[in-house]
Amino acid sequence: MAEGLTANHVPCPSAHDRARNRHRSGIAWSKSAVRVILTNPRYTGRQVWNKQRTDEVLLDVDDVAMGHTSVMRWNDRDKWVVSKEITHEPLIDDATFEQAQAILLRRGRGTGGQHVKQRTRNPYVFRGLIYCAACDRRMQGQYNHGDAYYRCRFPQEYALANQVTHPNNVYLREDALTDPLDTWLASAFSSERIEQTITAMTDTQPLEQPPTPAITAKAIITECDAKLERYRAALDAGADPAVVTTWIAQTQAERARAEANVHPNAGDNPRRMSRAEIRSLIQALGDIAAVLRDADPADKAELYRQLGLRLNYQPETQTVRAAVDLSAHRGVMVCVRGATQTIAPPPIMIGKTLRLTQL
């Protein structure tokens, strides 16, 4: 089906709505997108609730005082709430929908046709940062014989009817990239470039004080109020009271936490650092290359993320194009009514093509 849709020039979801899918290439239909459409009961004309939930997760398991953050997660299908009544025009009838589910169940993987995703505990220092140059998609982490790899299997996941040129499998071993990358990053703090780096770090700081947390808290309160209205409407429409009551309780708790942040401390806003302060921090680190080499994988992953690192792997030449946005970690993210606005100075990019270490 993915091949047929692509061959007939039917835009895939990410190509149809580029504004919401800038992070996807939109080059072809993915097989997973077809599966999601086939398993969505909304196409039978019914409303669906409780597909996702909000979990409160500790920011740092070793420092409980840092508090929690809200994480949206998908619920199992047996926890979805589907309306009995038709709420909008159906695209398919119930019999066709159930027949499709039966076919997918027979063709699925694992016990009873269900594929169970296992949560990995293996660390990946470049998680979400490496892209395949052939298709511009993020490469996925995979451990093999105790070593971390990143792979791209575009032909197995996407239609190739538009004659996309792509190797069957693209693999990159993590430790082949670590040393060349860290050596390049450390070179920014060499004696020849240290003044230029300090100037860039000074200039990329926000000129204005960022908005107070009260703005975000008020937006959350408004969103919670809208959710509570929808939940009450769901009760009136005949949704399961036990399920909806759980949603209401979670939303009310989230609203209460936001109300506590409406009046934050005035001293919470960060101030601009001087050149001398930045220089002192760099000197306190000592040998940057050694610090990067010996750092904990989780700390390195966070550092790379804060630097706005992007890596494009070219398998034909065995090279990686590395780019860093020196201003990426200095912007302030403000969530307003579901939209995210970045308040940051213009980006200052540095980049280099790295040749992989031969292992």
Side-chain angles (χ1 to χ4, degrees):
M1 293 179 70
E3 294 286 356
L5 290 167
T6 303
N8 292 332
H9 307 291
V10 178
C12 63
S14 58
H16 177 76
D17 190 352
R18 294 303 299 156
R20 293 171 57 189
N21 295 278
R22 293 189 181 94
H23 58 295
R24 295 188 172 94
S25 66
I27 195 171
W29 274 85
S30 72
K31 299 162 189 179
S32 60
V34 174
R35 177 180 290 272
V36 168
I37 292 173
L38 292 175
T39 57
N40 191 346
R42 284 180 60 87
Y43 294 113
T44 65
R46 291 170 171 78
Q47 185 59 275
V48 183
W49 298 281
N50 202 38
K51 295 175 70 173
Q52 290 183 293
R53 69 184 187 278
T54 302
D55 290 345
E56 296 299 317
V57 180
L58 285 170
L59 287 170
D60 187 344
V61 294
D62 297 322
D63 187 359
V64 179
M66 289 185 64
H68 297 73
T69 184
S70 299
V71 178
M72 295 295 295
R73 289 176 174 156
W74 289 98
N75 287 324
D76 294 334
R77 290 185 62 86
D78 58 2
K79 292 184 172 60
W80 293 6
V81 178
V82 182
S83 66
K84 297 180 180 179
E85 303 297 328
I86 300 295
T87 61
H88 52 270
E89 182 180 357
L91 297 182
I92 58 173
D93 56 71
D94 291 337
T96 303
F97 180 78
E98 293 302 330
Q99 185 178 7
Q101 307 318 299
I103 293 173
L104 288 171
L105 188 63
R106 290 197 299 270
R107 298 183 63 185
R109 294 174 289 172
T111 305
Q114 297 293 332
H115 174 55
V116 179
K117 292 184 178 180
Q118 301 294 336
R119 187 174 182 180
T120 179
R121 294 183 179 274
N122 293 319
Y124 295 96
V125 297
F126 301 124
R127 183 187 298 275
L129 304 179
I130 299 184
Y131 293 76
C132 173
C135 62
D136 202 35
R137 295 174 63 241
R138 281 191 176 95
M139 298 178 67
Q140 301 171 327
Q142 180 188 31
Y143 262 73
N144 188 12
H145 300 294
D147 295 316
Y149 286 80
Y150 299 87
R151 67 178 183 179
C152 179
R153 300 193 302 169
F154 185 95
Q156 282 73 34
E157 300 172 11
Y158 282 78
L160 297 179
N162 53 3
Q163 298 182 350
V164 176
T165 302
H166 197 289
N168 287 334
N169 287 288
V170 175
Y171 279 92
L172 170 61
R173 184 164 164 173
E174 183 178 272
D175 52 9
L177 173 59
T178 305
D179 286 345
L181 176 65
D182 290 348
T183 300
W184 171 62
L185 291 175
S187 68
F189 301 93
S190 64
S191 57
E192 297 82 7
R193 298 182 58 188
I194 185 64
E195 294 301 326
Q196 179 184 353
T197 299
I198 293 177
T199 298
M201 295 177 71
T202 303
D203 293 344
T204 55
Q205 296 180 95
L207 297 177
E208 306 248 340
Q209 291 289 344
T212 64
I215 296 177
T216 302
K218 290 178 180 178
I220 293 175
I221 291 173
T222 301
E223 185 178 354
C224 288
D225 289 340
K227 284 183 179 180
L228 292 172
E229 288 297 325
R230 292 198 299 268
Y231 296 159
R232 294 188 184 100
L235 281 174
D236 294 338
D240 187 343
V243 174
V244 178
T245 301
T246 302
W247 301 346
I248 291 175
Q250 292 174 346
T251 304
Q252 288 175 335
E254 183 181 1
R255 192 184 192 282
R257 288 191 297 272
E259 285 182 331
N261 292 325
V262 171
H263 303 291
N265 296 327
D268 289 341
N269 290 337
R271 64 175 181 83
R272 287 174 57 87
M273 296 179 65
S274 66
R275 287 180 63 90
E277 289 173 322
I278 293 175
R279 187 188 301 277
S280 296
L281 285 175
I282 294 173
Q283 291 174 345
L285 287 173
D287 185 348
I288 302 296
V291 170
L292 290 172
R293 183 181 62 248
D294 300 333
D296 180 86
D299 293 336
K300 290 186 71 168
E302 178 62 17
L303 170 65
Y304 295 149
R305 188 188 67 81
Q306 291 285 346
L307 286 174
L309 178 66
R310 180 185 172 103
L311 304 164
N312 274 69
Y313 175 49
Q314 180 57 259
E316 287 82 2
T317 59
Q318 291 289 291
T319 57
V320 171
R321 180 64 184 176
V324 167
D325 181 0
L326 293 179
S327 58
H329 64 298
R330 299 191 180 277
V332 179
M333 304 300 291
V334 182
C335 184
V336 181
R337 299 284 296 174
T340 302
Q341 175 186 9
T342 304
I343 302 174
I348 298 179
M349 304 294 298
I350 60 174
K352 183 177 178 62
T353 298
L354 307 175
R355 188 161 297 280
L356 302 179
T357 302
Q358 297 297 322
L359 299 173

